[in-house]
């Protein structure tokens, strides 16, 4: 008799046939959706939509810089390395949606990705093919936040869409930044999906705030679904949004819940719906046994085929609505014995719009269309957000902050402007109009206040080293899944594999070496309010919109302000 490991290995060969399709030209909808039902349980899922109801351009990063021990592993693969690892071809739908390779050239052929009406069509089609009684529809969080329409509607436009599609379960991270009261109102009164999370507890007594898991019979199969929200939420976002709640990575507790599902409730299948991030989930599954499938969100990774850790399969469906994942499972005698997996690329010009979802989007957008569609400039430069160290959007934001403070007081001119290393935010193609909504979509935070601080050079260095350790720590359990802060006005060198506190080197501020005892004027946004400092009258969106209007035509520096000493650093992948 075949062992479970051998059975899964055999079934993985089947799965590859459904996840490695390549298309030389723009495919048909039927070709994109070329996956046949299999098994007796189907998981249909999205993650990290980030509030985008309309199609966008979102290129995968040119760089995912990793410490030496993680280099070349899932979660740290880009460009040609990604294509080689997963045996995919250049100049295909996969290359366009999953990598940075030739993005600008392929964008002209394949167009925008995502869109709530298009995702609804795919999800409904997959469900109709399989039958609703054998499907679970899940979302991995970062869902009703960080876009213009999410901000204007307190997330309710996206919640309305989730309800329309019929999602069953969800977890969270940025979703909590609508405010604690609003978040509880959404999950308790408006959201039809069940919010589950084993790792959010009361700060005083340690009681669970939400159900840690749920059990659902799906086509005769008893499925246990455990939820895991982002474990570092109080560190990544201002504490006020989660005051009184405690988060964390808790492998022992997770193992206890798995055991409880297996032994007490006698489930046939255990699924972890996670917003931990792919590298952390891979590390965690080396510690926790008995989970069959992990749907991994947060780090926006794309997994054309599942990552196997022991008997656990880990999949990640990217971000910004670029993919809908479907995992068909064969469960027999309380064992997962086979699977088929596919990420369906959501090419907005190919997939028909679902009529009800289209009307829903139009309804929510109607009050804001005039404001959002105002053209404020033309960009000659490709404006992108995602990269480990540098982006043209962040460079533009730094320029806007410097201009704002120079204009206010030339004597107190700005030395440094910092932008948080958010991994979300759509792109604007070169020689395209820049609209107000584009700015909202890269700065869609609920705490947009800007603060002007005085900081000594040594304090800045300590801060930047702390961020670098979060990004480049060799242990994924200590990585929070963001990118390095963008530092305008600063040039520096980075040694990724140096010891903590020794990674940032040869720092120059405004062209001069950093002086440890000198006070610098620093503009910050996107974090907790600094004690005793009042915010500027204009928030970060206003500052950037006004600057772009003033410029009218944008030409932004492409060359990064950082030199990486011990890791390749790509600067031309989008333009190839």
């Amino acid at each position: 008799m075949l062992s479970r490991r051998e059975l899964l290995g055999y079934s993985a060969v089947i799965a590859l046939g459904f996840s490695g399709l390549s298309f030389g030209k723009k495919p048909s909808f039927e070709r994109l959706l070329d996956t046949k039902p299999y098994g007796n349980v189907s998981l249909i899922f999205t993650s990290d939509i980030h509030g985008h109801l309309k199609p966008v351009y979102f290129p995968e990063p040119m760089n995912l810089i990793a410490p030496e021990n993680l280099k070349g592993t899932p979660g740290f693969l880009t460009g040609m390395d990604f294509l080689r690892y997963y045996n995919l071809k250049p100049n295909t739908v996969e290359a366009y949606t999953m990598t940075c390779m030739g993005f600008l050239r392929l964008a002209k052929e394949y167009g925008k990705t995502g869109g709530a009406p298009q995702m609804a069509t795919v999800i409904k089609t997959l469900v109709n093919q399989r039958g609703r009684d054998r499907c679970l529809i899940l979302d991995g969080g970062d869902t009703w936040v960080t876009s213009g329409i999410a901000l204007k509607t307190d997330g309710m436009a996206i919640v309305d869409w989730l309800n329309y599609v019929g999602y069953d379960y969800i977890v969270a991270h940025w979703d909590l930044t609508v405010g604690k009261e609003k978040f509880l109102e959404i999950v308790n009164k408006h959201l039809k999906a069940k919010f589950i999370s084993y790792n959010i507890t009361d700060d005083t007594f340690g009681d669970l705030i939400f159900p840690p898991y749920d059990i659902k019979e799906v086509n005769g199969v008893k499925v246990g679904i455990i939820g895991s929200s982002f474990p570092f939420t109080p560190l990544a976002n201002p504490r006020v949004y989660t005051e009184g709640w405690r988060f964390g990575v808790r492998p022992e507790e997770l193992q206890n819940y798995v055991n409880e599902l297996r032994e007490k409730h006698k489930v046939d299948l255990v699924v972890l719906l996670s917003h931990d991030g792919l590298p952390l989930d891979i590390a965690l599954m080396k510690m926790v046994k008995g989970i069959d499938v992990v749907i991994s969100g947060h780090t926006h990774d794309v997994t054309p085929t599942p990552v196997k850790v022991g008997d656990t399969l880990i999949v990640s469906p990217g971000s910004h609505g670029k993919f809908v994942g479907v995992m068909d499972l064969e469960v027999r005698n309380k064992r997962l014995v086979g699977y088929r997996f596919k990420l369906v690329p959501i090419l907005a010009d190919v997939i028909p719009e679902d009529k009800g979802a289209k009307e829903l989007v139009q309804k929510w957008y109607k009050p804001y269309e005039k404001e959002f569609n105002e053209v404020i400039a033309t960009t000659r430069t490709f404006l992108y957000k995602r990269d480990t160290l540098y982006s043209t959007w962040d460079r533009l934001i730094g320029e806007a902050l410097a201009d704002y403070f120079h204009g206010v007081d030339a004597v107190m001119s700005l030395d440094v402007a910092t932008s948080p290393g958010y991994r979300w935010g759509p792109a604007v193609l070169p020689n395209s109009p820049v609209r107000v909504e584009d700015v909202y979509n890269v700065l869609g935070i609920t705490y947009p206040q800007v603060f002007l601080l005085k900081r000594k050079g040594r304090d800045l260095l300590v801060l930047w080293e702390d961020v670098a350790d979060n990004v480049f720590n060799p242990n994924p359990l200590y990585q929070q899944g963001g990118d390095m802060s963008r530092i305008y006005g600063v040039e520096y060198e980075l040694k990724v594999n140096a010891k903590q506190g020794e990674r940032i080197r040869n720092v120059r501020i405004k062209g001069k070496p950093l002086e440890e005892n000198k006070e610098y004027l620093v503009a910050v946004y996107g974090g907790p309010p600094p004690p005793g400092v009042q915010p500027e009258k204009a928030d970060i969106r206003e500052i950037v919109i006004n600057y772009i209007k003033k410029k009218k035509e944008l030409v932004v520096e492409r060359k990064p302000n950082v030199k990486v000493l011990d890791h390749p650093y790509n600067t031309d992948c989008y333009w190839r």
Side-chain angles (χ1 to χ4, degrees), residues 243-396:
E243 198 68 50
W245 293 353
R246 183 176 295 175
F247 295 68
V249 181
R250 302 171 183 171
E252 290 183 6
E253 290 181 29
L254 180 56
Q255 184 67 70
N256 289 340
Y257 287 123
V258 175
N259 296 345
E260 190 173 304
L261 286 168
R262 293 282 187 191
E263 296 166 10
K264 180 181 176 180
H265 298 290
K266 308 297 182 183
V267 303
D268 303 306
L269 181 79
V270 176
V271 175
L272 177 64
L273 180 60
S274 167
H275 200 85
D276 294 341
L278 183 61
L280 198 158
D281 279 328
I282 291 171
L284 201 56
M285 290 307 100
K286 294 176 182 177
M287 306 165 67
V288 178
K289 307 303 177 186
I291 294 174
D292 296 294
V293 177
V294 179
I295 296 170
S296 181
H298 178 60
T299 43
H300 299 185
D301 291 295
V302 180
T303 55
T305 57
V307 178
K308 288 188 67 177
V309 179
D311 291 331
T312 302
L313 304 171
I314 307 173
V315 291
S316 183
S319 66
H320 294 71
K322 288 178 76 174
F323 300 95
V324 169
V326 55
M327 197 162 198
D328 292 321
L329 307 171
E330 178 69 28
V331 182
R332 294 200 302 265
N333 301 320
K334 297 190 177 296
R335 298 169 67 190
L336 175 60
V337 297
Y339 72 94
R340 287 178 178 172
F341 169 66
K342 179 178 176 66
L343 291 177
V344 180
I346 308 301
L347 297 186
D349 293 340
V350 172
I351 297 172
E353 294 181 297
D354 176 85
K355 183 174 183 293
K358 182 178 180 179
E359 290 172 353
L360 182 153
V361 173
Q362 288 173 339
K363 174 191 74 175
W364 284 103
Y365 258 88
K366 189 174 181 180
Y368 314 108
E369 287 283 9
K370 184 177 180 181
E371 178 187 1
F372 281 170
N373 287 326
E374 181 188 354
V375 175
I376 51 178
T378 298
T379 181
R380 301 304 175 196
T381 305
F382 180 40
L383 298 178
Y384 67 92
K385 183 71 173 73
R386 183 74 204 281
D387 185 82
T388 306
L389 300 174
Y390 180 87
S391 81
T392 49
W393 258 123
D394 287 303
R395 170 76 185 197
L396 179 61

Side-chain angles (χ1 to χ4, degrees), residues 414 451-455 520-524 530-531 533:
L414 197 66
F451 299 90
L452 191 62
L453 318 170
K454 287 183 178 180
R455 290 289 183 266
Y520 293 95
L521 203 60
V522 183
V524 300
V533 181

Side-chain angles (χ1 to χ4, degrees), residues 139-154:
D139 185 80
D142 279 2
T143 307
W144 56 72
V145 281
T146 70
S147 71
I149 196 63
L151 278 170
K152 295 291 188 180
T153 66
D154 285 334

Side-chain angles (χ1 to χ4, degrees), residues 41-46 123 127 131-140 144 159 161-171 187 191-197 211 213-218 223 225-227 271 273 295:
V41 176
S42 294
L43 307 177
I44 299 170
F45 52 91
T46 53
I123 293 170
V127 169
R132 187 64 177 93
D133 63 336
R134 61 162 281 175
C135 294
L136 288 175
I137 308 175
L138 311 105
D139 185 80
W144 56 72
V159 171
W161 177 79
L162 294 169
N163 291 341
Y164 172 80
V165 171
Y167 278 79
D168 295 304
Y169 297 100
I170 196 167
V171 293
V187 299
L191 184 68
K192 293 179 181 178
K194 192 164 188 176
F195 184 85
I196 52 175
S197 194
Y213 60 75
D214 195 36
I215 300 167
K216 191 165 185 176
E217 188 163 308
V218 181
V223 182
I225 309 101
I226 304 173
V271 175
L273 180 60
I295 296 170

Side-chain angles (χ1 to χ4, degrees), residues 172-199:
H173 169 207
W174 276 91
D175 315 86
L176 288 147
T177 63
V178 296
K180 193 173 175 181
E181 289 185 9
K182 183 64 180 180
F183 180 82
L184 289 171
E185 178 191 325
I186 287 174
V187 299
N188 292 330
K189 295 182 179 180
H190 303 297
L191 184 68
K192 293 179 181 178
K194 192 164 188 176
F195 184 85
I196 52 175
S197 194
Y198 88 93
N199 64 336

Side-chain angles (χ1 to χ4, degrees), residues 493-496 505-506 563-567:
E493 295 176 349
L494 172 70
K495 191 165 187 178
V496 174
R505 305 177 177 201
N506 296 326
K563 180 180 180 181
V564 185
L565 300 177
D566 59 344
H567 193 290

